[in-house]
Amino acid sequence: MTERIERIEALLDEAEPAAIELVGELLELYGDGLARVMALAGELLAAELAGDELVSHLLVLHDLHPLPARARAEAAAAGAGAELLTLEDGVARLRVRASGCRSSATAGVERAVRAAAPEVERVEVELDERPVIPVESLTVRRGAATK
């Protein structure tokens, strides 16, 4: 799908003004039709449609997605093992627990968030290097052991 979008963008860069206007009119027509489909679909079917990767992108394009960008980015981050800290002005800030290769973990989380919320322009990832189990919790307290 990404290749198709890139191809469309490249063609638009070379297109004549009338062709660009035609594409805009077609987008509006399809957007209006998609809005009617979503209105008729009902809540359950609309959620199922929004779960499809291609349909989800079209819903975002036409500002029809039933879930806000934050909810989509949050779910994608959680699914990729990260935590969404903020989503403001097109920038998603995430926290990822440090393990393994930083660049592959960062790239995977970024791809997941961008796929779920294409309106996110930039993803910033910080590593959470705190230990999974706090050291303090590993010590045995004497009073607790005798009870």
Side-chain angles (χ1 to χ4, degrees), residues 3 9 16 20-21 26-27 32 34 38 60 62 72 75 77 86 90-92 103-104 120 122 130 136 139-140:
E3 292 123 15
E9 289 173 347
E16 298 292 324
I20 293 171
E21 184 179 352
L26 284 171
L27 273 173
D32 291 346
L34 190 55
M38 292 301 285
V60 168
H62 295 287
R72 290 181 275 121
T86 62
V91 179
S103 63
S104 64
V120 170
R122 193 171 80 236
R130 294 176 295 171
E136 305 82 48
T139 60
V140 177

Side-chain angles (χ1 to χ4, degrees), residues 99-114:
S99 65
C101 176
R102 174 191 164 104
S103 63
S104 64
T106 300
V109 169
E110 184 173 344
R111 272 193 307 276
V113 169
R114 286 182 180 274

Side-chain angles (χ1 to χ4, degrees), residues 21-108:
E21 184 179 352
L22 172 63
V23 169
E25 291 296 323
L26 284 171
L27 273 173
E28 282 190 43
L29 177 66
Y30 284 115
D32 291 346
L34 190 55
R36 287 185 185 182
V37 168
M38 292 301 285
L40 293 170
E43 196 172 311
L44 289 175
L45 182 55
E48 191 173 333
L49 289 168
D52 179 88
E53 184 181 359
L54 176 59
V55 176
S56 179
H57 282 280
L58 292 173
L59 293 173
V60 168
L61 176 68
H62 295 287
D63 198 25
L64 296 170
H65 204 288
L67 293 176
R70 180 173 183 84
R72 290 181 275 121
E74 207 164 48
E83 174 188 3
L84 179 67
L85 302 174
T86 62
L87 177 55
E88 297 171 349
D89 301 323
V91 179
R93 287 189 52 247
L94 307 168
R95 180 182 296 136
V96 178
R97 184 153 307 274
S99 65
C101 176
R102 174 191 164 104
S103 63
S104 64
T106 300

